[in-house]
Amino acid sequence: MSSRFFTADEQRQIVSAIESAEANCSGEIRVHIDRRCPGNVLDAAADVFASLGMQKTALRNGVLFYVAVDDRKFAVIGDCGINSKVPDGFWNDVKAVVTAEFSAGRYVDGLTKGIILCGEQLKAYFPHSEDDIDELPNEITYGNK
Ligand code: CA
Ligand code: CA
């Protein structure tokens, strides 16, 4: 799909939320938008995670917000570095914030709020360091599905 799902301004808001979140923690956050996701949303998110090379962070602390807009599906997944440190249900608050906004049709608010919350929550496990590197681009990616 084209990047026209979001306006230029909306894209900037989302990218800016990623920058803010990454200023709070060492986690690397990305957003991917598909139109369709006929199968399992967690499988689709894991495929995108791998195809974007998101497992290539030093601390294995990449986070992907995956949205299939036409099928109204959403998933947030983290790499193994995160899953080995955080308690079960770690993503529930983030998911709740995002899906509440999405159900009202507010995609930008859902993503920006979820991303900021993600940064705040990850801070305790992956603090930001002064020599932090932006390991993964903050730009939104769009799938062909
Ligand atoms: Ca970083
Ligand atoms: Ca980044």
Side-chain angles (χ1 to χ4, degrees), residues 25 86 89-94 116-126:
C25 68
V86 304
F90 177 77
W91 298 111
N92 289 353
D93 294 348
V94 174
I116 295 292
L117 180 60
C118 178
E120 285 167 4
Q121 291 194 171
L122 277 180
K123 196 176 179 176
Y125 304 92
F126 296 95

Side-chain angles (χ1 to χ4, degrees), residues 120-135:
E120 285 167 4
Q121 291 194 171
L122 277 180
K123 196 176 179 176
Y125 304 92
F126 296 95
H128 189 261
S129 67
E130 288 201 355
D131 55 354
D132 181 78
I133 298 165
D134 188 21
E135 294 175 284

Side-chain angles (χ1 to χ4, degrees), residues 28-106:
E28 289 286 335
I29 299 164
R30 299 209 68 172
V31 172
H32 182 90
I33 309 290
D34 273 340
R35 281 223 179 272
R36 307 297 314 275
C37 172
N40 181 290
V41 68
L42 287 171
D43 290 344
D47 285 350
V48 169
F49 194 100
S51 68
L52 290 174
M54 289 187 64
Q55 71 284 4
K56 292 175 189 157
T57 58
L59 298 174
R60 300 297 301 268
N61 57 359
V63 175
L64 176 65
F65 286 74
Y66 174 88
V67 190
V69 288
D70 286 357
D71 286 328
R72 300 179 164 274
K73 289 183 180 176
F74 164 72
V76 54
I77 59 168
D79 205 351
C80 56
I82 295 176
N83 297 330
S84 66
K85 282 197 175 187
V86 304
D88 287 348
F90 177 77
W91 298 111
N92 289 353
D93 294 348
V94 174
K95 276 184 208 158
V97 164
V98 174
T99 52
E101 297 291 339
F102 279 13
S103 62
R106 293 189 291 264

